[in-house]
Amino acid sequence: MHPEPTLQPAQISLHAPAWLAAWVNAHGDSYPDVATRMRLCIELSALNVEHETGGPFGAVVFDRATFQLISAGVNRVESCSASIAHAEIMAITAAQQQLGSFDLSATGLPECELATSCEPCAMCFGAIPWSGIRHLVCAAGDADARRIGFDEGPKLSDWNKALMQRGISVATDVCRDEAVLVLQRYATKNGLIYNGRADLKGD
């Protein structure tokens, strides 16, 4: 008889695509215009589709005082074999590691804005107040993601009000049409719709 295998502690790794580091290094300037900041997120989502390195979602964390880029993330669910590897989670985690704190609102740290190419799903909505993000900007909406088959989860209907009650300001529909085009391009390319179950459809 073969001995029972010994379970080993999991080595958890959420890694960015190889092209992202060069992109971040090329975008270290200040971006005071909200539409310009959002277009960076949309560019990331489009590049992720073009490089076939994940789903059609991008997110960037900015310093609210200087409008400089702190971190960026793209969807890596399939590549990392991790359902949590949404663009917002990747960008937030990168910012926390860059600034050396799990709390992005800790004393001495810059006030942080999260810009994302699509309204957060239920999971990312929950992560935002725990992260210390103080301002959220979204492009495409929940319905836009559901329209191409993604399941956005059981999120509060008044989710933006719930965040604002926690002191997190919210702006929606910034460059929405441009972000929706990336979602539609992904669907046209038959990109993977990575819901938790193959038979689970967004509506």
Side-chain angles (χ1 to χ4, degrees), residues 42 54 96 107 175-176 187 197:
I42 297 169
Q96 291 166 332
T107 302
C175 303
R176 178 182 178 183
R197 289 181 10 229

Side-chain angles (χ1 to χ4, degrees), residues 16-25 44 72-74:
W19 56 264
L20 186 58
W23 186 94
V24 170
N25 289 333
L44 281 176
V74 291

Side-chain angles (χ1 to χ4, degrees), residues 136-152:
L136 173 67
V137 186
C138 311
D142 181 286
D144 299 317
R146 291 181 188 272
R147 195 169 293 117
I148 66 167
F150 285 107
D151 174 38
E152 297 297 278

Side-chain angles (χ1 to χ4, degrees), residues 9-202:
Q11 299 296 314
I12 298 172
S13 175
L14 299 179
H15 51 278
W19 56 264
L20 186 58
W23 186 94
V24 170
N25 289 333
H27 291 82
D29 298 329
S30 177
Y31 300 93
D33 180 67
V34 66
T36 302
R37 297 198 297 280
M38 181 52 69
R39 287 191 175 104
L40 291 181
C41 297
I42 297 169
E43 179 182 337
L44 281 176
S45 67
L47 285 171
N48 212 32
V49 173
E50 178 183 327
H51 289 293
E52 298 184 348
T53 47
F57 305 101
V60 181
V61 175
F62 293 95
D63 181 329
R64 286 273 285 166
T66 64
F67 297 110
Q68 287 187 308
L69 183 150
I70 295 174
S71 69
V74 291
N75 181 278
R76 297 286 284 166
V77 168
E78 183 183 13
S79 304
C80 293
S81 297
S83 61
I84 65 169
H86 288 198
E88 297 96 323
I89 301 296
M90 299 295 285
I92 287 170
T93 302
Q96 291 166 332
Q97 294 184 353
Q98 176 78 9
L99 297 175
S101 175
F102 65 87
D103 181 4
L104 295 177
S105 62
T107 302
L109 294 185
E111 186 173 300
C112 291
E113 170 185 284
L114 174 66
T116 178
S117 66
C118 190
E119 181 182 313
C121 68
M123 176 182 70
C124 296
F125 163 75
I128 289 167
W130 304 140
S131 70
I133 290 291
R134 305 312 304 159
H135 184 62
L136 173 67
V137 186
C138 311
D142 181 286
D144 299 317
R146 291 181 188 272
R147 195 169 293 117
I148 66 167
F150 285 107
D151 174 38
E152 297 297 278
K155 192 169 63 182
L156 295 170
S157 59
D158 57 348
W159 65 272
N160 48 357
K161 180 179 178 181
L163 289 180
M164 288 188 280
Q165 288 175 338
R166 287 176 170 264
I168 302 167
S169 53
V170 179
T172 59
D173 298 328
V174 178
C175 303
R176 178 182 178 183
D177 291 345
E178 296 169 44
V180 169
L181 287 176
V182 178
L183 295 175
Q184 292 173 341
R185 190 179 314 141
Y186 184 76
T188 300
K189 288 168 62 75
N190 294 316
L192 178 68
I193 304 298
Y194 42 81
N195 296 322
R197 289 181 10 229
D199 62 340
L200 187 61
K201 303 292 185 183

